Structure formats: C-alpha cells, structure tokens
Amino acid sequence: MAFLNDVPKVTRNLIFINILVYVATLINQSFIIRYFALFYPTSPFFCVWQPLTHLFVHGGFFHLFFNMYTLMIFGGVTERIIGEKKFLILYFLCGLGAAGLHLAVQAIGGGSNIPCVGASGAVYGVILAYAMLFPDSRLTLLFPPVTLSAKKMVLIFLGIELVTGIFGSGYVTSLSDGIAHFAHIGGMLFAFLLITFWKKRGTLFDRY
C-alpha cells in the first residue's frame, strides 16, 4: 500500500486498522459483530466499548472502501491543517457523537436489535470539518457529476440525511434501510461543535 505513504500518520493508521478489522471480519464475522458492532444498551450483546469499536467494523468491501477513500481524501487534508492530536480528538468525538445520536433516536422507538457498524459517522464529521476549514473549495461529485463549494455540498448531505432519516427510513428505527442516517448527522453535529469551540478559543491551528 505504497500509495498511503503520503497520507498523514493518523489518517493512515486509522485506514490500516479498519482494513485489519475487515480482514478479521472475513475470518470470523459472527465474533466481530457480536463483540465490536454497536448494539442498543438493553441488548444482551451490548458492551461498553462498542460506541468506539463499531467505527472499525464494516458490513462489506464497498462499505469499507467508500468510507476509507473519503477519510483519505478529506481526513488527510484536515489532519495536516489542525495537526495529529486535534484530528484524532475530532475523529473519535465525532464517532462517539454519531453513536450517541443513533442510540438516542433508537430510544424514541423503544430500542432495536439491529447492530450498527461503520466509520461513516466519524467520516461525515471529518467532511464537515473540512468544509468549515475550506468552505469555498470546489468539490465534484461522481454522481451526479456536479461541482459545488464544500459548504454547499455539506448542506446538501445534511439535508439528504435529515430527509432520508425522518421520512425514508423512519426516525424510530433509524436503520430500516440499512443506513444509520442519524449517526451521520451526529458526527456532523459534533464536528461543528468542536471546530466552533476551537475557533472561539483561538486554538484551532494550535497543534500542541
């Protein structure tokens, strides 16, 4: 994986860990899902470490690929700007925020037996952080092939997640279409709060 040599250290290591966990999932999927996916707290399968470990478990190759590709593109740039320590804090707080909002939405419907997996919540947080750092940078979607500013694209993503989460999958289950939409929103929300907090303190670009 020589192409990762130019990727900043934290982003690169996160990608490596996700790949390793995916390989472990191929070897023993039931074990990885049982202990490291995120279950609702009343489930007999819930473990206190799952709000963190679910970030490294993926449901398939393309789930892993798109999350890691997005992390490499946006995470690499963001890490170089705010530094390794802040980027690591950003990533895991967004992941925890994603888990928290996902579980809160599930609680509205009385819980769920469907486990949640994937780095998407943290990755969506990284995308929002990038958009706050470079709001006017131009990004081109693969489909449809349109070019928009980062801030407009993030607002579109947020709108899609809200509409799909509430009206598409149903806010009660949050996973009936197989996607934890409110986890994505939770990651973005925590990224917004954290970047705003660092900006107000004047420490956003303080790497230490």
Side-chain angles (χ1 to χ4, degrees):
M1 299 182 183
F3 68 93
L4 289 175
N5 289 340
D6 294 330
V7 177
K9 183 171 68 175
V10 172
T11 301
R12 182 173 67 247
N13 288 338
L14 287 170
I15 293 172
F16 278 142
I17 295 170
N18 275 277
I19 292 172
L20 288 174
V21 174
Y22 178 68
V23 172
T25 305
L26 294 177
I27 296 170
N28 194 337
Q29 183 179 32
S30 60
F31 176 83
I32 296 297
I33 296 297
R34 163 64 181 84
Y35 288 100
F36 302 111
L38 176 62
F39 287 89
Y40 191 71
T42 58
S43 167
F45 301 120
F46 176 77
C47 300
V48 294
W49 54 79
Q50 290 173 355
L52 276 179
T53 58
H54 86 283
L55 296 171
F56 299 99
V57 182
H58 287 83
F61 173 78
F62 288 106
H63 188 203
L64 173 74
F65 174 80
F66 286 115
N67 273 342
M68 294 304 100
Y69 179 76
T70 306
L71 176 60
M72 182 176 68
I73 298 300
F74 294 99
V77 176
T78 304
E79 181 182 345
R80 286 191 178 97
I81 295 299
I82 67 175
E84 296 173 1
K85 181 179 178 181
K86 278 194 172 63
F87 182 73
L88 197 61
I89 292 171
L90 171 74
Y91 187 85
F92 281 112
L93 280 185
C94 288
L96 288 172
L101 186 58
H102 173 71
L103 293 176
V105 170
Q106 283 190 322
I108 296 174
S112 171
N113 292 320
I114 304 174
C116 178
V117 297
S120 303
V123 171
Y124 267 72
V126 170
I127 294 173
L128 188 132
Y130 173 89
M132 292 181 73
L133 293 168
F134 306 100
D136 297 318
S137 64
R138 308 294 288 178
L139 302 175
T140 302
L141 291 172
L142 293 177
F143 183 81
V146 296
T147 300
L148 298 169
S149 67
K151 60 185 177 184
K152 289 181 180 178
M153 192 167 292
V154 162
L155 288 174
I156 289 173
F157 285 169
L158 179 60
I160 291 172
E161 293 300 322
L162 278 170
V163 172
T164 309
I166 295 173
F167 300 104
S169 66
Y171 74 91
V172 173
T173 65
S174 181
L175 263 174
S176 61
D177 65 352
I179 300 174
H181 297 286
F182 287 95
H184 299 167
I185 295 170
M188 296 175 80
L189 173 62
F190 270 66
F192 175 79
L193 294 174
L194 192 55
I195 295 296
T196 300
F197 173 73
W198 283 333
K199 280 186 173 181
K200 287 186 175 180
R201 290 190 63 188
T203 61
L204 179 60
F205 302 109
D206 179 5
R207 293 166 178 260
Y208 303 100

